[in-house]
Amino acid sequence: MRRVESAPNLVIATLWADALSAAGIEARVFSRYLSSIAGEIPPSEAEPTVWVLDDSDLERARQLLAELQRPVRGAWWRCESCGERHGPQFAQCWNCGAARAEPR
């Protein structure tokens, strides 16, 4: 078992572990509740951590988490059905449900 990364909070740590699991990498979150004693112990020691169970998955897990932490780049787009404006990370209109049109 190897530690992959410390997360800023439990929600992020859980999302990362779930993403790794979805990619076929068995992962667990440890130190879930230490944030309540930050100050009594160093804050960096109180952060939740994501671990992989199989040591051979460590590098692949670190690469996947690095990709997750990279911001989505691209142009904003406007829904052709209703005109709602969306960020580049969305593939579907939140307002009317229409799929994003392919760039021309």
Side-chain angles (χ1 to χ4, degrees):
M1 185 181 309
R2 300 285 304 267
R3 188 182 117 172
V4 181
E5 179 97 37
S6 293
N9 58 58
L10 182 56
V11 173
I12 298 296
T14 303
L15 287 171
W16 288 350
D18 288 347
L20 293 174
S21 293
I25 299 172
E26 222 175 329
R28 299 284 184 275
V29 177
F30 290 101
S31 306
R32 291 175 175 267
Y33 306 110
L34 288 182
S35 63
S36 63
I37 61 170
E40 300 296 323
I41 62 174
S44 62
E45 298 298 317
E47 294 175 335
T49 54
V50 178
W51 293 66
V52 292
L53 301 187
D54 186 343
D55 293 1
S56 66
D57 287 330
L58 181 62
E59 286 311 310
R60 185 167 160 244
R62 285 185 173 156
Q63 289 172 349
L64 287 170
L65 290 186
E67 289 173 20
L68 283 175
Q69 294 175 50
R70 239 180 266 127
V72 176
R73 303 273 186 231
W76 284 70
W77 60 280
R78 192 166 299 281
C79 177
E80 291 182 358
S81 296
C82 70
E84 188 67 34
R85 189 170 181 247
H86 301 284
Q89 69 273 29
F90 298 105
Q92 183 177 13
C93 178
W94 69 268
N95 188 46
C96 72
R100 179 180 186 172
E102 292 297 319
R104 297 175 192 165

